[in-house]
Amino acid sequence: MSRGSYHHGNLRQALVDATVGLIEQKGPAAFTLAEAARLAGVSAAAPYRHFEGRDQLLEEVARQGYLDFAARLEAAFGGGRPSALSAFLRMGQAYLTFASEKPGFYIAMFESGLSIAGNAELSAAADRAQEALLTGATALFARIPADRRPPPIMVANHIWAMSHGVVELFGRGRPGSRVPVTAADMLESGVLIYLRGLGVIPS
């Protein structure tokens, strides 16, 4: 790809796409802005038209990742049909699918050490993803008396942590390949055991 192939309107996205590839190859800390520019086919100075530096480019990758991630979670929940439980389990599978299909974005979001609070647009995108899980968790306990419901945010965060743990187990070096279950089965069984303990599922 020659320099100048990207016009002003899509240079920003070209740099994001290049950075995703570099993250997948090298990790979130081992690439430079110049490398992203070279991979995008532009001069080393070109990225500065859109980004102040490498960290801001990485934040944009994470922001786009969170938006895609949130949209997948929302679609998986699908209004809680046919039941809140089945919809919630679909959200867990959507989490695993995203991590598998978009590893560069996933790493930027969760493993790059970015400060989400320092970027309003990134923070809003991350909040949207958490809100999707919170909606699912709230629906799970709708039929349980209010005085017996656990805080939905606690449940959402526990499931998020469980999902992230399964991704790590079956992703980085694949230590999960040593166990006789799939990532999807491990996550679903773990979620069901957790929800049974909270009284969502009868013993």
Side-chain angles (χ1 to χ4, degrees):
M1 185 179 299
S2 64
R3 293 176 186 270
S5 295
Y6 285 106
H7 57 72
H8 183 76
N10 62 12
L11 171 59
R12 182 182 180 89
Q13 190 59 44
L15 290 166
V16 168
D17 295 341
T19 300
V20 170
L22 288 169
I23 291 171
E24 292 175 1
Q25 294 170 20
K26 300 184 173 187
F31 74 93
T32 66
L33 201 59
E35 286 179 298
R38 185 166 58 251
L39 192 59
V42 297
S43 70
Y48 294 97
R49 300 177 197 167
H50 297 280
F51 302 101
E52 293 179 0
R54 179 185 171 283
D55 286 350
Q56 193 176 74
L57 176 53
L58 193 58
E59 288 173 3
E60 176 60 15
V61 172
R63 186 192 72 82
Q64 292 188 19
Y66 271 114
L67 290 177
D68 184 0
F69 180 55
R72 289 172 183 240
L73 292 177
E74 291 162 357
F77 186 67
R81 295 182 293 270
S83 72
L85 178 58
S86 63
F88 197 67
L89 293 175
R90 285 198 306 270
M91 294 176 84
Q93 300 312 310
Y95 192 114
L96 298 185
T97 300
F98 175 80
S100 175
E101 293 181 351
K102 300 292 185 74
F105 286 101
Y106 187 89
I107 292 169
M109 293 156 59
F110 299 120
E111 300 175 14
S112 65
L114 289 176
S115 174
I116 292 177
N119 183 314
E121 292 184 348
L122 173 57
S123 181
D127 287 347
R128 178 179 163 189
Q130 185 176 53
E131 185 64 30
L133 285 172
L134 183 59
T135 296
T138 300
L140 281 172
F141 300 99
R143 297 184 180 181
I144 296 178
D147 61 345
R148 290 172 46 202
R149 295 175 194 166
I153 188 63
M154 177 195 78
V155 175
N157 285 337
H158 283 173
I159 298 301
W160 193 320
M162 192 183 302
S163 302
H164 187 74
V166 171
V167 169
E168 292 299 308
L169 184 62
F170 283 84
R172 312 295 174 252
R174 302 194 64 79
S177 62
R178 297 174 182 272
V179 298
V181 296
T182 65
D185 288 342
M186 178 172 285
L187 179 59
E188 182 169 315
S189 62
V191 171
L192 290 173
I193 291 168
Y194 173 73
L195 294 177
R196 184 173 289 114
L198 291 177
V200 176
I201 305 170
S203 300

